[in-house]
Amino acid sequence: IRACYLTLGINASPQLAALLLGFSTVLALSEGDVHGLLGSVLLIVAGLEFVGLLELTRRATRARSVVASTAADHGVQISNDAAQSWIRPLVFPVPLRPGAVKRIGRLPYGDHPRQRLDVYRHRNGDLFGPILVYFHGGGYSSGSNRNEGRVLLHRLAVQGWTCISATYRLRPDAGFTDHLDDARTVLRWARDNSEIHGGDVTRIVMAGSSAGAHMTATTALAPPSSAEAVPRIAAAVCLYPWIGRYFGRGEDESQPSTPLALDPST
């Protein structure tokens, strides 16, 4: 899991990774730590990695223009400043919360220590927009609601959305039904606590990354019982989702744990 997060970080900010690699290599050379055949091999490897990071940066810059063009086709304008896309990750490698957005943190939606959520909303209380409920990834065994999705949460909150980012119970202490129970509890919390967040409870969008996307898709496609009274989801957004079966489950499972086994028309 840690290696996965490291790889995600490098892919997200290859400029920063290239800068750190170049700095550490120059430092090693200046200190006389690189010598002999092994040192030469390490320099070659570092050089190849540096070239690869520059290629990742080039592709990221090109992808930005594609995203901006696609957004423009749908009536949304996104800044496509190439200099900003190169320089900003070096100066601010982590997303900063805009001054117009406030976070109301660590609100409990259950008794378990992992049943906590943060609310992001515009400081102008007169703004009234949809609600985004977001769940982080981590293979259902790790992760935090303050490590993922912050750019998305900040951007929508600036536009007047109310964004709710929640943690949930994890494996091995919790299982598939526990995760779904937590997701549905957060949705009910979003509906029942509009006096806290001020969002439009008739427009709730659910989103998640990786395991959080699996939870999102399964929750959206698996109708709860009438006793659960979960609010209707207007849309579900799944970012790099896992869509297979839950850990340890096979084809004979009584309750489907993969979105692929659920009927989207129900």
Side-chain angles (χ1 to χ4, degrees):
I1 294 294
R2 292 178 180 176
C4 178
Y5 278 122
L6 177 60
T7 302
L8 288 173
I10 292 175
N11 281 317
S13 300
Q15 308 98 311
L16 181 62
L19 181 65
L20 293 176
L21 176 61
F23 176 78
S24 60
T25 302
V26 171
L27 180 62
L29 287 171
S30 64
E31 294 291 331
D33 296 331
V34 180
H35 48 77
L37 177 61
L38 179 59
S40 299
V41 171
L42 291 176
L43 279 177
I44 293 173
V45 171
L48 293 174
E49 291 179 346
F50 188 79
V51 172
L53 291 170
L54 292 182
E55 174 62 16
L56 280 177
T57 302
R58 185 187 70 83
R59 293 185 181 186
T61 304
R62 292 183 60 189
R64 186 180 183 91
S65 63
V66 173
V67 171
S69 176
T70 302
D73 292 341
H74 291 80
V76 178
Q77 296 299 320
I78 298 178
S79 173
N80 189 27
D81 188 338
Q84 181 185 24
S85 66
W86 278 71
I87 296 173
R88 187 187 180 283
L90 299 177
V91 181
F92 299 109
V94 295
L96 300 177
R97 188 167 75 250
V101 175
K102 66 177 179 179
R103 181 180 67 196
I104 307 171
R106 303 303 186 196
L107 299 176
Y109 66 89
D111 297 330
H112 193 278
R114 289 284 306 182
Q115 293 175 317
R116 299 292 183 268
L117 57 83
D118 293 336
V119 175
Y120 296 82
R121 58 176 298 187
H122 201 285
R123 294 185 183 276
N124 181 356
D126 294 332
L127 294 178
F128 185 71
I131 299 171
L132 175 75
V133 176
Y134 175 84
F135 293 95
H136 62 81
Y140 285 117
S141 62
S142 65
S144 168
N145 64 333
R146 294 192 175 180
N147 289 340
E148 295 183 36
R150 285 182 293 172
V151 173
L152 173 64
L153 299 170
H154 296 164
R155 183 175 182 85
L156 292 180
V158 165
Q159 298 176 5
W161 286 56
T162 290
C163 299
I164 298 171
S165 181
T167 55
Y168 47 89
R169 289 172 290 175
L170 300 174
R171 303 171 50 235
D173 298 327
F176 177 65
T177 56
D178 297 314
H179 306 317
L180 290 188
D181 287 344
D182 285 354
R184 290 166 178 165
T185 302
V186 173
L187 290 171
R188 288 193 293 269
W189 189 98
R191 178 197 61 200
D192 298 338
N193 289 272
S194 58
E195 73 279 2
I196 293 178
H197 55 68
D200 183 355
V201 297
T202 67
R203 294 185 292 168
I204 298 178
V205 176
M206 189 175 178
S209 303
S210 190
H214 181 272
M215 184 189 302
T216 295
T218 306
T219 302
L221 295 174
S225 64
S226 57
E228 292 179 292
V230 176
R232 179 179 177 273
I233 301 171
V237 180
C238 301
L239 307 174
Y240 53 96
W242 164 250
I243 57 174
R245 289 186 177 86
Y246 189 76
F247 298 90
R249 291 201 170 193
E251 295 182 1
D252 58 345
E253 60 181 356
S254 58
Q255 178 187 8
S257 64
T258 167
L260 298 177
L262 299 171
D263 184 358
S265 64
T266 58

